[in-house]
Amino acid sequence: YRIEKIINFSDMRRLIFADAVHPFVVLIATVRAPDERFGSVESERFQYWTPKTDIALAFGRLAVHGGDRADLPANALLTDEAQLAMHYWGGEPDIALLQRLLRKGSIRDLMTAEWMDAKGFHAHDNDVRRDPKNWYTAVPKWMAHTRFLSAKLLPKDLPFVPEKHLHPFPFGQIARVPEQRLFQGPRVLWPDGAHPQDGVKAVYTDEAFSFQHSIAVLSAPSTEEGRLTARFLTVYLRSPMGLWLLLLLSSSVAAERPKLHLREALDWPFWSLEQHPEPERARSIMIKVDALISEAESADELLQPTRWSEIQSQVDHLVYDYFRLSADEIAMIEELATLAGSALQPSSLRHGSLTK
C-alpha cells in the first residue's frame, strides 16, 4: 500500500468513542500495482493531520487548522525519531530546535559516566511464572534501617524532599533486593505521573532513603560535579523547557495518559560539562542553580514552597541560559508549554459527563 494520509485523533478520542482510553488514527492508503510493491519509498510523502478539540465540535464539525497539517516523508515511519509524536504538538521550528539541542548529547550519555538509571524497589511480586515461594525475600539491613518515601508524599511544589515526608521503612519483606546505591548519594527522583499542564515533578536528594517502583531515579556519582549536575537536572525536568520536551517526546503524555517513562527521559537533550560549548560558563550556571535551591532549602519549612515559587522564574531562565536559547526560542517553548498542556483533554473526561 502507498500511504496517502494519516489522521491522528488522539485528542478527540473520548468525544468520538465513548470513554475511549487509547488513542487512534485513521490511515488512508491506496493499493500499489504488483510491480511496485517492493520498491523504494524514499521519494514518497504523506499528509499527517493532527486535529485538536475546539469549538467546531459544538457545531458537528471536525476542524483541521493549518498548524495541524504536516507533509512528511514516508521513511519517517521507519526511523526511530518518533516523528509522528513530535509533530502532534510541535511544529517545524520546535523540531528544528530539538534536533539542534540533541547534537550536543542527551541524558542517556550520562549513563556512560558512572550514572545509573532505574526504578524503585518492588514490594510485591505476583508473577505467575515464578514459584510463589520465591515471590518475596527478606529486607536487607541497610534498607530496613533507612527511612522511606511514599510516592504520595513526593512534593509537587518543591525541587527537594522535606524532612517531614520521610518515615520508617514499612515493609517486613520485599520482592527483590535492589541496588543499594540507588537509595543514597546525589540523585534525581520523579513519579510516574507527569501532568501535561504541570510538567515533571522532579526532586533532588542526597539523603539515604528508599522508595518503590512508581518512582524513577537517576543516580549521580558521589562527586561535586555529579551533585551539581543532578541539582541542575532536577530544575531542568521541572522547567517550562521540560514541559515542552514532555509534549514533544512523550507520546503517552501528549496522547494517552500522563506518564514520563524512564526511557523517554533518557532521550531528552542534555549537554554535560564536557560536551558543553562553554564548559566554564555552564559550570557557573550550575553553581547559581545550586545556590538558589539551597536558598529555598534553608527557609523555614512552612515557607519553603513560597520561597521556591519566588525564585522559580529565575531558575527557569538559568536553564534557558545553559542551553543558549534565544529570546524567540524561549517564547516558542513557553507558548507550547503554557497553551498546549492546558488544552489537552483531561484523562478523567468520560462520555457520561458530556451527556449530562
Side-chain angles (χ1 to χ4, degrees):
Y1 294 91
R2 180 190 178 102
I3 297 174
E4 304 290 344
K5 187 179 297 179
I6 295 177
I7 309 172
N8 188 336
F9 286 105
S10 295
D11 194 51
M12 294 183 172
R13 63 190 183 277
R14 295 186 182 91
L15 300 177
I16 297 176
F17 295 109
D19 296 339
V21 175
H22 301 293
F24 74 96
V25 302
V26 171
L27 187 148
I28 301 172
T30 56
V31 178
R32 296 181 187 273
D35 59 341
E36 296 178 355
R37 291 180 181 176
F38 300 100
S40 172
V41 298
E42 189 71 27
S43 62
E44 295 180 3
R45 304 186 71 83
F46 67 94
Q47 289 289 309
Y48 181 50
W49 292 7
T50 56
K52 312 298 192 303
T53 304
D54 67 6
I55 192 63
L57 282 173
F59 301 98
R61 297 193 298 267
L62 296 178
V64 183
H65 301 283
D68 294 331
R69 303 182 187 193
D71 183 66
L72 301 180
N75 59 15
L77 299 174
L78 305 176
T79 68
D80 59 354
E81 296 182 19
Q83 290 287 333
L84 299 187
M86 289 191 292
H87 277 90
Y88 191 77
W89 285 107
E92 293 302 330
D94 295 283
I95 295 170
L97 174 58
L98 175 61
Q99 290 172 339
R100 178 176 71 80
L101 293 170
L102 284 169
R103 291 191 194 109
K104 295 291 183 182
S106 66
I107 294 177
R108 188 180 301 277
D109 295 336
L110 293 173
M111 301 307 115
T112 62
E114 300 183 17
W115 284 65
M116 290 179 63
D117 64 284
K119 302 292 288 292
F121 71 89
H122 284 263
H124 306 286
D125 187 354
N126 297 321
D127 189 345
V128 296
R129 297 168 299 179
R130 300 174 60 199
D131 187 333
K133 295 179 181 179
N134 299 324
W135 279 357
Y136 297 98
T137 187
V139 178
K141 289 184 179 179
W142 63 263
M143 180 178 280
H145 295 159
T146 57
R147 291 171 296 176
F148 173 78
L149 174 68
S150 168
K152 295 179 180 179
L153 295 179
L154 203 66
K156 297 180 179 180
D157 52 0
L158 289 170
F160 51 85
V161 181
E163 192 74 15
K164 65 181 180 181
H165 289 201
L166 301 177
H167 298 284
F169 191 79
F171 301 103
Q173 58 183 7
I174 58 175
R176 286 177 291 277
V177 177
E179 177 71 40
Q180 183 175 357
R181 176 187 151 175
L182 300 173
F183 305 101
Q184 60 187 22
R187 58 202 189 278
V188 185
L189 312 177
W190 70 88
D192 276 348
H195 197 280
Q197 185 172 357
D198 300 330
V200 183
K201 296 308 178 187
V203 296
Y204 168 85
T205 185
D206 50 26
E207 297 290 328
F209 60 80
S210 61
F211 45 86
Q212 289 181 260
H213 67 281
S214 58
I215 295 178
V217 55
L218 294 177
S219 173
S222 293
T223 62
E224 179 62 9
E225 182 176 319
R227 187 187 71 84
L228 287 173
T229 302
R231 302 268 274 187
F232 181 81
L233 273 175
T234 300
V235 299
Y236 170 42
L237 289 170
R238 296 179 67 94
S239 70
M241 188 175 177
L243 182 48
W244 175 73
L245 290 166
L246 192 66
L247 290 165
L248 287 181
L249 296 177
S250 179
S251 56
S252 60
V253 170
E256 186 172 3
R257 53 180 178 163
K259 182 176 182 179
L260 174 62
H261 296 280
L262 183 58
R263 66 179 183 276
E264 292 173 334
L266 295 178
D267 290 332
W268 285 22
F270 183 70
W271 305 349
S272 66
L273 292 177
E274 293 78 14
Q275 295 169 310
H276 201 283
E278 301 177 89
E280 290 303 318
R281 183 164 171 265
R283 184 178 179 83
S284 173
I285 291 172
M286 284 188 176
I287 291 172
K288 290 177 183 177
V289 167
D290 178 40
L292 288 169
I293 296 176
S294 296
E295 189 176 327
E297 287 173 327
S298 62
D300 183 272
E301 197 167 277
L302 292 175
L303 299 177
Q304 285 176 341
T306 301
R307 186 68 194 113
W308 176 249
S309 66
E310 292 171 349
I311 61 179
Q312 190 168 359
S313 177
Q314 187 177 348
V315 173
D316 290 342
H317 279 83
L318 286 171
V319 172
Y320 301 149
D321 198 20
Y322 186 92
F323 290 101
R324 307 170 78 190
L325 300 179
S326 68
D328 288 343
E329 290 169 338
I330 293 171
M332 179 179 68
I333 286 171
E334 292 187 340
E335 180 182 26
L336 183 63
T338 302
L339 300 179
S342 58
L344 284 170
Q345 280 192 35
S347 58
S348 59
L349 182 64
R350 292 293 180 267
H351 181 262
S353 65
L354 298 174
T355 57
K356 287 182 179 178

